Amino acid sequence: MTASADGYDSTAALAAFHESHGGVRGLVESGVTTVPPLFLASTQLAARAQSLAATAFAVPTVDLSLPRPDAVALIRAAARSCGFFHATNHGVPADVIGSALSAARAFHEQPRAIRSELYSLAPVGAVAYSTIPSSPEQGGPLLPWRDSLRVRFGPAEPDLGRLPAACRDALLGYQRSLTAFGKEMAGLLSEALGVEAERLERAMQVEGWLMACHYYPPCPEPERVIGSLEHTDPSLFTVLAQDDAGGLQVRNGDDGDGGWVEVAPVSGALLVNIGDVLKMVSNDEFKSVEHRVVIKSTQDARVSIALFFNPAKRDKSDLFGPLPELMTAERPARYRSFTVPEFMNFRREFGHSRSSVQRFKLTSN
């Protein structure tokens, strides 16, 4: 990040943007009519982001009120095919989800003078609010058209004192409700792998401690920016609540290398996607699929809340790899054992695409 041929100094511009503490929302509030260079996607990348596959595609829906064997079969099929599914009749009250989404929106739409006091790239206590820079390895613009509020709920008792009371209470209530849902989902995913329901929980102690409340402001030139670059999730699985604005896309195809298709929001549903950790633990039985967000509107913001479920066991002695029950002579282990800190270090070093998972793949496979 240096001065370009036309004299634009991206390093200085990036520093000035963060020092403004206004986020992308601040740019919109200031009345920008063109996209600043920090956010500009290459012409080729922007064109790819705005193009959709011509074929119709619907992410599978799993009705969790079905008899358990039927729900497990649907989850198995979805996890093996596209790595995403909508969960309906999930037991999380609609008002809890709605309150959390409203609280996330209200936080990001606070007056700039109040919001800016919380802006920080590094967490303060359990909270971090900022525009998170893109990883250089991903090859996109320096900044996405997105502001993020990240909240960590564990393992220690979280210090949420920096959040406004209404926002704090709504997000805490949502996280508690989702924790129960996540434990149930871990059991269903275990059974979908053909092992006992308690297998993933016993091996890993599955917890949803990290929440990301994303806010994608309207953009004067939506076709020139990226809301979120293509990536996979560094989790066992992720649970997403979203409004009805749309813009989430997943990579389609048998090997996750096909075209991009849009995931239309389903009212009342929670969207579940398989993460890289579960992909490896499942020995490639389940797919962790690349996804991204495009900006669609010049008038309306998009709001989503992702809760990442991961192993709570993170000591150096806590090794994870393909479950022994899933390995056979015909299908040996495809990944070596790893610790969660080791995996996260690789993600930070090599970015958020499928390439980081390949670092753990056994060469004989």
Side-chain angles (χ1 to χ4, degrees):
M1 292 183 287
T2 58
S4 62
D6 60 5
Y8 180 75
D9 188 336
S10 59
T11 300
L14 183 63
F17 171 81
H18 287 309
E19 288 168 4
S20 75
H21 289 192
V24 182
R25 167 78 178 175
L27 294 177
V28 176
E29 290 170 328
S30 72
V32 294
T33 56
T34 58
V35 174
L38 287 173
F39 299 88
L40 285 177
S42 67
T43 302
Q44 182 181 18
L45 182 61
R48 291 207 318 264
Q50 295 297 328
S51 65
L52 290 176
T55 55
F57 177 81
V59 167
T61 295
V62 178
D63 182 349
L64 296 182
S65 69
L66 292 172
R68 191 174 182 94
D70 295 340
V72 167
L74 290 173
I75 290 172
R76 180 185 299 115
R80 285 177 171 177
S81 60
C82 67
F84 277 77
F85 58 91
H86 292 289
T88 60
N89 292 313
H90 41 65
V92 181
D95 62 332
V96 171
I97 299 173
S99 294
L101 287 169
S102 295
R105 180 182 293 274
F107 175 89
H108 287 285
E109 294 180 352
Q110 293 178 101
R112 179 169 179 164
I114 298 174
R115 198 175 71 239
S116 63
E117 294 180 0
L118 302 174
Y119 193 96
S120 174
L121 285 170
V124 179
V127 176
Y129 160 63
S130 68
T131 304
I132 305 171
S134 301
S135 300
E137 296 82 4
Q138 292 178 279
L142 295 178
L143 291 172
W145 197 262
R146 180 191 73 191
D147 295 329
S148 299
L149 170 66
R150 292 167 291 164
V151 185
R152 181 168 288 281
F153 291 91
E157 187 68 21
D159 176 10
L160 305 179
R162 300 179 74 226
L163 292 177
C167 177
R168 179 174 64 244
D169 294 344
L171 295 185
L172 186 57
Y174 178 72
Q175 190 269 344
R176 287 172 174 166
S177 291
L178 261 288
T179 294
F181 170 79
K183 296 286 187 181
E184 176 67 11
M185 184 53 58
L188 290 165
L189 288 165
S190 293
E191 291 183 52
L193 285 171
V195 297
E196 59 182 312
E198 298 78 17
R199 185 66 174 91
L200 290 175
E201 174 65 22
R202 188 174 67 248
M204 301 181 176
Q205 189 183 333
V206 180
E207 298 289 353
W209 284 334
L210 180 61
M211 178 184 292
C213 303
H214 294 311
Y215 182 86
Y216 303 84
C219 181
E221 301 174 293
E223 71 283 354
R224 303 185 73 191
V225 301
I226 301 295
S228 177
L229 284 169
E230 56 196 67
H231 65 284
T232 56
D233 285 354
S235 59
L236 275 168
F237 59 92
T238 304
V239 180
L240 186 80
Q242 59 179 329
D243 63 15
D244 59 0
L248 176 65
Q249 297 178 357
V250 301
R251 194 186 286 280
N252 197 14
D254 291 339
D255 296 315
D257 56 2
W260 292 96
V261 292
E262 183 148 348
V263 180
V266 172
S267 179
L270 292 169
L271 185 64
V272 179
N273 69 277
I274 305 302
D276 288 345
V277 175
L278 188 51
K279 168 185 170 67
M280 292 189 286
V281 168
S282 75
N283 208 32
D284 281 344
E285 281 289 321
F286 291 171
K287 291 183 177 180
S288 176
V289 176
E290 287 181 313
H291 48 286
R292 65 186 184 187
V293 175
V294 299
I295 304 302
K296 302 182 66 175
S297 178
T298 60
Q299 301 294 325
D300 300 315
R302 175 182 187 264
V303 176
S304 67
I305 302 177
L307 191 64
F308 300 93
F309 285 86
N310 262 315
K313 295 182 178 181
R314 299 198 170 200
D315 291 338
K316 291 182 179 179
S317 60
D318 293 322
L319 289 170
F320 304 112
L323 295 177
E325 301 97 309
L326 304 181
M327 293 184 285
T328 64
E330 295 76 23
R331 193 182 180 91
R334 298 188 175 186
Y335 299 93
R336 67 172 177 83
S337 296
F338 59 93
T339 66
V340 171
E342 179 188 19
F343 172 71
M344 295 308 297
N345 286 338
F346 268 101
R347 291 281 295 201
R348 282 187 285 269
E349 183 176 356
F350 297 105
H352 297 275
S353 66
R354 286 182 290 175
S355 61
S356 58
V357 173
Q358 299 304 314
R359 303 278 171 175
F360 296 91
K361 197 141 194 177
L362 295 173
T363 55
S364 60
N365 293 295

